[in-house]
Amino acid sequence: MLLKDHFIELPFINEDYKLIQNEYASTTIYTEVVHFLQLAYPEWNCNKGLGAGAPEFVLQLINEHEETFYTKPQREALVSLYLDAADSYELSQKHFFSDLMSRLETEFFMMDEEDIASLYNKEINEISQKEYDTLLKLYKQAHIHLIPFTFDF
């Protein structure tokens, strides 16, 4: 699966990503959010982290802190931003990862049974539950490290 496929598949998140790239990519608050996430959670923007939910997470942090980010003393603004990001990351990561796993299971179950069977050179009725479960696990693992969106600063 190409990264482009994720981008096309998720138009509601795509809009968040477009907004970030068009409105915030050159701002200090965007740079600080992305820099913090890269340092604190190295896998934050791959599917193992926030994945396709990364744009929503980044935009939410920017929206919640933008007004005070430029009016508070810099240290206070950064501490507030970083603490909020850290506090909300784990719950958001679990939510987005759970959604991804559900979506991948659905995609796998919708695959042509003959294609699945051909991976074992068997007929579909000859594949054991264990073999089927192994293929599902491998399918999920193949998607965990993909990066649906990139965030440069």
Side-chain angles (χ1 to χ4, degrees):
M1 175 181 284
L2 299 173
L3 298 180
K4 178 179 149 188
D5 293 338
H6 278 288
F7 193 72
I8 293 169
E9 246 177 332
L10 303 165
F12 60 94
I13 294 178
N14 182 359
E15 292 302 316
D16 289 342
Y17 186 73
K18 285 180 186 177
L19 180 62
I20 290 167
Q21 295 305 308
N22 292 332
E23 301 291 326
Y24 296 105
S26 62
T27 65
T28 304
I29 191 169
Y30 165 84
T31 301
E32 290 298 337
V33 168
V34 172
H35 183 71
F36 173 78
L37 291 172
Q38 287 178 345
L39 290 174
Y41 310 99
E43 297 180 317
W44 75 278
N45 66 328
C46 74
N47 281 335
K48 190 174 184 176
L50 298 172
E56 180 181 339
F57 187 80
V58 169
L59 189 59
Q60 180 181 343
L61 285 171
I62 290 171
N63 287 337
E64 288 176 4
H65 291 270
E66 185 176 29
E67 190 174 311
T68 58
F69 187 80
Y70 297 104
T71 58
K72 286 183 178 180
Q74 184 179 20
R75 180 178 168 85
E76 186 180 333
L78 289 173
V79 167
S80 177
L81 176 65
Y82 296 163
L83 288 175
D84 190 25
D87 286 345
S88 56
Y89 180 84
E90 188 176 328
L91 182 61
S92 295
Q93 186 275 335
K94 286 179 183 177
H95 169 76
F96 288 122
F97 191 75
S98 175
D99 285 353
L100 172 68
M101 291 296 106
S102 295
R103 186 172 58 82
L104 291 175
E105 282 183 21
T106 300
E107 285 177 9
F108 185 79
F109 294 135
M110 292 177 69
M111 288 175 70
D112 188 292
E113 290 180 343
E114 290 179 14
D115 290 340
I116 295 171
S118 71
L119 295 172
Y120 279 105
N121 295 320
K122 297 180 178 182
E123 296 295 320
I124 191 66
N125 60 352
E126 298 174 335
I127 294 180
S128 70
Q129 185 63 47
K130 184 177 179 179
E131 290 171 323
Y132 191 82
D133 291 344
T134 298
L135 286 174
L136 174 59
K137 183 178 178 180
L138 291 171
Y139 184 76
K140 288 178 177 180
Q141 287 176 345
H143 289 80
I144 288 177
H145 296 287
L146 292 177
I147 300 173
F149 300 98
T150 59
F151 296 83
D152 298 320
F153 63 95

